[in-house]
Structure formats: C-alpha cells, structure tokens
Amino acid sequence: MKKPLVLLSFILLSYCSVLAQSVQEKQVQTAIETWKNAVLTRNEAALRSILAEELSYGHSSGLIETKAEFLDVILNRKSVFETLEMPDMEIKIVGNTAVVRNKMFADVVTGGVRNKTNLGVLQVWTRGQNGWQLLARQGFKL
C-alpha cells in the first residue's frame, strides 16, 4: 500500500511542478509581448517598467546599450520599429530567471535607412518585485 501512495505523491508533485513552470513561462511570454508592443508604440511607461535598471542590451553589431541608452534610441525615434516578429521562442525557467531564445525579424528605420533584420536573440529575464523584467539581451546575425 505504501508504494502506490509514494508513487502517486511523486506523480502529483511532478505535475504541480510542470504546471507552475507553465504559468511562469506564460508570464514571461506576456512580459515579452509587453516589451514588443511598447517598442512598436514607443510606450515610455511600459518600457520603463519592463526593463531592469541593470539592463545590458546587446545588438548584433556589437553595440551594447544601458537602459537609459536603449530608452533614448526608442523614445527619440533614433530607431523606429515598423514591424517586429519573434518566432521559434523557447523559454527555460531557472528560479527567478528566464532564459529565452528566439529569432527576430523586424523592419527598422535607423538614421533614415530602412533595414530588415534576421537575427537570433538570447534574452535573460528576471523576476522581482515588479514582475518579470528584461535584464539582458544579445542579438546575433543568422
């Protein structure tokens, strides 16, 4: 009788763990959608809340921006995202950290020049008092 009870307990705990991770993954997806929409619409309040103060935002060119620099670029229209798609997303939750890999396709106008991006992206999200926030991002050319 003990073995079936132990087995059932193990199965239930495993199932609860999977459910919890699925909830966290959905929360991260929601945060990513918030970031995406904020970039497309230049929503300053949303961007300030979704970006960690310690943000390290790496571009495929090697340029690395802080939160203040990234906000300046987006809010002052130095780069204007006209479209932004992020397919093939994989989210791994490790404690209060989410590691996200995806592709990124975008139409971006920078300095009057229209560019189409075809990138791979690694994002690191952290969960704190304000929910999930983007801590680090690195793009690379595919």
Side-chain angles (χ1 to χ4, degrees):
M1 180 72 178
K2 261 187 169 178
K3 282 186 179 181
L5 186 57
V6 170
L7 181 60
L8 180 60
S9 296
F10 177 76
I11 291 171
L12 285 174
L13 285 173
S14 297
Y15 180 71
C16 289
S17 174
V18 168
L19 283 180
Q21 189 160 355
S22 296
V23 168
Q24 290 178 1
E25 288 173 0
K26 287 178 184 174
Q27 290 171 344
V28 172
Q29 281 181 314
T30 299
I32 292 168
E33 278 299 309
T34 298
W35 173 85
K36 174 184 166 183
N37 292 330
V39 166
L40 287 168
T41 62
R42 291 173 306 286
N43 182 327
E44 182 174 357
L47 282 170
R48 286 191 184 282
S49 71
I50 205 79
L51 301 175
E53 288 303 318
E54 307 84 358
L55 178 67
S56 176
Y57 193 94
H59 294 269
S60 62
S61 66
L63 175 68
I64 298 174
E65 296 170 334
T66 64
K67 178 178 180 175
E69 291 166 333
F70 179 75
L71 287 170
D72 179 54
V73 167
I74 298 301
L75 299 177
N76 293 312
R77 303 177 63 90
K78 294 177 181 176
S79 287
V80 176
F81 283 78
E82 295 180 337
T83 64
L84 178 55
E85 299 299 325
M86 299 187 306
D88 301 333
M89 191 169 291
E90 295 178 12
I91 300 171
K92 302 283 189 223
I93 306 293
V94 182
N96 288 328
T97 303
V99 177
V100 181
R101 288 193 174 273
N102 58 275
K103 293 179 182 170
M104 184 178 126
F105 307 117
D107 292 312
V108 184
V109 178
T110 303
V113 178
R114 183 175 311 280
N115 296 299
K116 286 192 172 290
T117 65
N118 182 15
L119 301 176
V121 176
L122 170 66
Q123 302 174 60
V124 179
W125 290 78
T126 185
R127 184 177 56 205
Q129 294 176 355
N130 298 325
W132 288 100
Q133 292 185 304
L134 182 60
L135 178 62
R137 182 260 193 201
Q138 183 62 56
F140 52 92
K141 295 178 183 171
L142 292 176

